[in-house]
Amino acid sequence: MPVFTDIQNKRKKGPLHFTLIDPDKQEPAEAGKLAKMAEGFGSDAIMVGGSWGDAFGNKLNQTITEIKKASKLPVILFPSSAQQISDKADAIFFMSLLNSRSTQYLIDEQAKGAVYVRKFDLEPLSMAYLIFESDSNTAAGWVGDAKPIPRDKPEIAAAYSLAAMYFGMKMVYLEGGSGAKLSVPPEAIGAVKHAVGKDMLVIVGGGIREPEVAKEKVRAGADIIVTGTIAEENRDKLKEIIKAIKS
Ligand code: 1GP
């Protein structure tokens, strides 16, 4: 079954949780263990990527291979450049950082990567990526040359999401930045969901460390919650977060 169909089917039953694994943060075997644990806790997919460090080539391939050995969950690439494409994955977030100031992250890396998406027969999941203002500039914001969405301007997030919908994108990822102290505000999530309705899946990630915070994002309108750092820091917390999203 195509990964997008699987996601849509699962979403009909309730909000989803995706686990982000950065190949730079652990050895491939450990990534496999992490994926198995997340699957056991009820996570719905594994995203693989990172905006900084060793997240491409052999390390990327071996990490995905170990994840696939350890779990049955779909593996979706979450690339920060055309270098982060692997034939071992099932699908790829084919994403454009819509609030980047650089054509590199709007379309140039995508053009380079498109050739490999076809060659490797990866399923492209068309997605808008929006980076929010946080307590400090995050790695994703710095690398992606983003003009962060102001936290107190939900209407700007809604307008970009609407534009993405008119471009035909199927998902919008509201990014607080990995490890950020401040996550995406519920007002922005609500404004985006109100703008795009059922035509787009709203994904929210970055700085989510507590079950109540994850639940607050779901109540605001998030279809999918992404966590990365918490699985490295506190595995019990990951279990509680997934439980809160699904309850
Ligand atoms: C980063 O949104 C993801 O792209 C996950 O962030 O590592 O803070 O959970 P965390």
Side-chain angles (χ1 to χ4, degrees):
M1 186 196 301
V3 173
F4 191 62
T5 311
D6 178 51
I7 294 171
Q8 284 179 310
N9 288 347
K10 284 182 181 163
R11 176 63 188 98
K12 282 180 198 149
K13 295 178 195 139
L16 308 184
H17 174 270
F18 288 3
T19 303
L20 173 62
I21 297 181
D22 183 343
D24 184 48
K25 298 277 177 67
Q26 65 286 296
E27 290 307 311
E30 187 57 29
K33 285 184 196 156
L34 211 62
K36 188 174 180 187
M37 180 191 68
E39 183 176 29
F41 292 163
S43 193
D44 298 286
I46 305 293
M47 291 163 49
V48 179
S51 45
W52 199 254
D54 188 8
F56 50 88
N58 281 341
K59 191 76 186 288
L60 176 64
N61 287 333
Q62 287 165 9
T63 296
I64 299 173
T65 302
E66 291 299 322
I67 293 170
K68 299 288 294 177
K69 265 197 248 168
S71 116
K72 288 195 168 55
L73 292 178
V75 175
I76 306 170
L77 293 166
F78 181 49
S80 63
S81 76
Q83 274 190 311
Q84 290 186 346
I85 301 181
S86 165
D87 63 350
K88 312 283 180 226
D90 300 301
I92 180 168
F93 280 137
F94 202 82
M95 55 204 258
S96 177
L97 175 50
L98 294 187
N99 61 327
S100 177
R101 303 297 93 191
S102 164
T103 58
Q104 183 184 356
Y105 296 100
L106 284 163
I107 187 62
D108 297 341
E109 291 292 331
Q110 292 82 346
K112 283 187 228 164
V115 179
Y116 292 95
V117 172
R118 171 159 288 178
K119 188 170 164 188
F120 297 158
D121 199 22
L122 289 166
E123 180 184 342
L125 306 173
S126 169
M127 183 171 88
Y129 191 47
L130 295 173
I131 295 183
F132 278 70
E133 198 175 62
S134 188
D135 44 299
S136 61
N137 202 0
T138 57
W142 189 83
V143 170
D145 198 5
K147 183 176 174 186
I149 308 268
R151 299 180 59 78
D152 60 352
K153 295 274 182 295
E155 65 276 18
I156 295 183
Y160 272 80
S161 303
L162 200 55
M165 188 177 85
Y166 293 152
F167 272 128
M169 292 171 166
K170 300 293 178 209
M171 305 182 180
V172 55
Y173 192 129
L174 310 180
E175 175 68 271
S178 186
K181 287 201 183 72
L182 298 173
S183 53
V184 175
E187 296 76 18
I189 300 168
V192 168
K193 193 65 203 173
H194 182 73
V196 303
K198 285 195 189 317
D199 290 336
M200 282 178 106
L201 291 170
V202 177
I203 308 178
V204 178
I208 299 173
R209 294 183 184 78
E210 297 295 335
E212 321 66 268
V213 175
K215 190 72 190 177
E216 174 196 59
K217 313 291 182 214
V218 167
R219 282 204 196 97
D223 296 293
I224 300 168
I225 300 293
V226 177
T227 63
T229 310
I230 198 66
E232 298 152 22
E233 289 176 355
N234 184 340
R235 297 182 172 192
D236 291 336
K237 246 329 155 27
L238 176 66
K239 188 177 182 180
E240 289 172 34
I241 287 174
I242 297 172
K243 200 173 154 203
I245 293 167
K246 309 264 173 187
S247 66

